[in-house]
Amino acid sequence: MADLTTDFVGIKSPNPFWLASAPPTDKEYNVRRAFEAGWGGVVWKTLGSEGPPVVNVNGPRYGAIYGADRRLLGLNNIELITDRSLETNLEEMANVKADYPDRALIASIMVPCEEAEWKAILPRVAETGADGIELNFGCPHGMSERGMGAAVGQVPEYIEMVTRWCKEYYDKPVIVKLTPNISDIRYPARAAKNGGADAVSLINTVSSITSVNLDTMSPEPSIDGKGSHGGFCGPAVKPIALNMVAEIARDVETHGLPISGIGGVTIWRDAAEFLALGAGNVQVCTAAMTYGFKIVEEMISGLSQWMDEKGHTSVEDIVGRAVPNVTDWQYLNLNYIAKARIDQEACIKCGRCYAACEDTSHQAISMSADRVFEVIDAECVACNLCVNVCPVDGCISMEKMAPGQTDPRTGKVVESDYANWTTHPNNPTSTAAE
């Protein structure tokens, strides 16, 4: 069977599935249950300094976005970092690490952006035996208003400065957790690398308001008639996370920087996608909060089975395999031509493809009197909308036109060599065009 063990910046774990720093990792009881369920590692919920105590709201802390079947698509949370004492957290971390030496245990930390604060907390964290630290530069609410979290993660100079402090005062791996609430994720990643970070993790939550109660006219979750923006996570943020992971993986200035992928990992396939785009492991939160810790069993068995089927013997075989195929739009092959094809036997005649294409796209699907839907090749641009709206998986597909065929829409002959687009005269970026 495939070997799922990972060595992420020298931190070994039996599988690539870690629990992210969040409510599920707030105390010893939870973490022990997680390890018993099979999680390979845990990032302990963010520790603060011994200054004024953190006080969380004693009311609703989560808002939600649901799909049509009430499947949870995303959570918005307004919870702050741990409100338990630093001493209690450190004692529990030491207990857990002593009993589970084969599991990864990372301490997430967020203290004021002052060297003395970091210098004071790091030796105490080191005494727990934790395998590394994660710098929380991503939290978008509550703590950011106090000059921490995303307030640091949005300023590359601060990221580099604090990372340097941590590398000076801590001798185990330093992982920098990045905020997605920024225009270009490459800059904070570069700053982390310049500061000596051993790895980055991303994404943290997306600043959001998920809904408004139209009776009380307050955002949800509502605390005594008032609401606040919070951090959005779950399956809905996965596309944002995948893109940002890929941007760092293919950036020449951060190439080779290890990445811990976070954002909407719910099933094994999600994890495989993050790995393929350059992540060395993945962190999970919302899925565990939705389905419980034992969801990791499906993730482990699913990933292992898929790796066996594909002939991958280790997680390292997958990491970064898709990165060379991520490119900028101008490098896409404009000689590639495809057309939609409808499997009439699978079609349930709902008409969603027709309605979507007729009203909002290219009028490339016809409907007969007896509701038979067919593609009009002369109008089809292979936009894929019909595939996406069809309720029957596999009923509609995109079929590549063979070289030498004439595209009925444009009248042009399909090029004989799709692969030559990078040097094709029609490509404005090619040397031939010059």
Side-chain angles (χ1 to χ4, degrees):
M1 293 181 63
D3 181 7
L4 295 190
T5 59
T6 60
D7 185 336
F8 185 74
V9 296
I11 302 171
K12 294 180 172 59
S13 58
N15 61 65
F17 300 104
W18 292 6
L19 280 174
S21 171
T25 63
D26 189 35
K27 52 177 150 330
E28 182 176 354
Y29 176 83
N30 300 56
V31 175
R32 286 183 180 276
R33 286 180 60 84
F35 283 158
E36 289 301 317
W39 291 89
V42 157
V43 183
W44 203 277
K45 187 172 181 182
T46 305
L47 311 175
S49 63
E50 288 189 305
V54 170
V55 180
N56 272 295
V57 295
N58 288 310
R61 298 181 183 182
Y62 307 114
I65 295 292
Y66 299 104
D69 58 356
R70 200 171 164 78
R71 182 170 67 92
L72 188 67
L73 300 181
L75 279 179
N76 168 288
N77 90 86
I78 60 170
E79 185 167 303
L80 303 181
I81 64 175
T82 183
D83 51 15
R84 304 163 71 238
S85 73
L86 177 61
E87 182 178 355
T88 298
N89 276 295
L90 294 176
E91 180 180 343
E92 292 184 2
M93 288 171 61
N95 292 339
V96 172
K97 186 58 189 175
D99 290 344
Y100 296 90
D102 65 324
R103 309 301 173 93
L105 195 151
I106 310 300
S108 175
I109 308 175
M110 180 195 293
V111 297
C113 199
E114 300 172 8
E115 185 174 1
E117 292 276 0
W118 290 94
K119 185 177 181 179
I121 195 173
L122 291 173
R124 299 187 64 182
V125 171
E127 291 174 355
T128 67
D131 298 293
I133 59 174
E134 183 179 79
L135 313 186
N136 186 342
F137 294 158
C139 188
H141 60 276
M143 306 307 292
S144 58
E145 288 89 333
R146 309 177 197 188
M148 293 178 277
V152 178
Q154 292 166 341
V155 184
E157 293 81 4
Y158 290 173
I159 294 174
E160 181 174 346
M161 177 179 68
V162 177
T163 304
R164 287 187 187 280
W165 294 341
C166 293
K167 289 299 294 181
E168 180 178 353
Y169 301 120
Y170 187 72
D171 61 2
K172 288 185 178 180
V174 174
I175 303 168
V176 175
K177 191 173 187 178
L178 303 179
T179 176
N181 303 295
I182 195 165
S183 58
D184 192 331
I185 197 65
R186 294 174 298 176
Y187 292 103
R190 291 169 184 172
K193 184 176 182 181
N194 291 339
D198 296 279
V200 292
S201 59
L202 68 154
I203 59 173
N204 209 311
T205 53
V206 180
S207 187
S208 63
I209 292 176
T210 49
S211 62
V212 175
N213 186 315
L214 295 179
D215 293 322
T216 63
M217 287 296 172
S218 64
E220 297 284 8
S222 179
I223 307 297
D224 195 25
K226 300 289 184 181
S228 174
H229 71 95
F232 192 56
C233 58
V237 308
K238 176 187 158 189
I240 300 170
L242 287 176
N243 176 60
M244 289 188 171
V245 166
E247 284 295 283
I248 294 172
R250 70 190 188 99
D251 180 26
V252 294
E253 294 190 37
T254 53
H255 180 72
L257 179 65
I259 301 169
S260 183
I262 314 170
V265 176
T266 307
I267 61 174
W268 70 266
R269 181 178 291 275
D270 300 326
E273 291 174 6
F274 272 96
L275 295 172
L277 285 175
N281 67 9
V282 294
Q283 296 184 32
V284 181
C285 173
T286 307
M289 294 178 72
T290 306
Y291 304 107
F293 285 152
K294 288 192 175 181
I295 191 174
V296 75
E297 295 176 356
E298 185 279 335
M299 293 179 178
I300 292 171
S301 62
L303 182 63
S304 180
Q305 181 177 335
W306 173 77
M307 289 173 62
D308 287 342
E309 292 173 353
K310 295 295 183 179
H312 300 303
T313 58
S314 69
V315 171
E316 191 62 32
D317 288 349
I318 312 167
V319 176
R321 291 286 288 267
V323 174
N325 294 325
V326 182
T327 188
D328 294 329
W329 192 95
Q330 65 264 31
Y331 301 119
L332 297 177
N333 188 351
L334 300 188
N335 288 322
Y336 182 92
I337 305 294
K339 299 295 178 184
R341 293 290 178 260
I342 300 173
D343 182 344
Q344 297 299 335
E345 292 186 2
C347 180
I348 61 174
K349 303 185 185 305
C350 67
R352 287 175 64 176
C353 63
Y354 172 78
C357 189
E358 189 71 15
D359 289 351
T360 69
S361 290
H362 299 277
Q363 298 76 52
I365 296 179
S366 65
M367 179 177 68
S368 68
D370 56 348
R371 295 184 68 82
V372 172
F373 301 94
E374 295 182 329
V375 176
I376 306 170
D377 282 357
E379 303 297 336
C380 180
V381 301
C383 71
N384 213 48
L385 178 61
C386 56
V387 175
N388 292 329
V389 302
C390 179
V392 180
D393 187 32
C395 178
I396 307 179
S397 59
M398 288 294 155
E399 183 179 294
K400 180 178 71 174
M401 292 187 66
Q405 286 184 299
T406 300
D407 181 357
R409 190 178 72 86
T410 64
K412 294 181 178 180
V413 176
V414 176
E415 292 285 335
S416 59
D417 188 357
Y418 295 115
N420 282 343
W421 174 246
T422 54
T423 58
H424 194 282
N426 290 346
N427 180 353
T429 65
S430 72
T431 54
E434 297 172 358

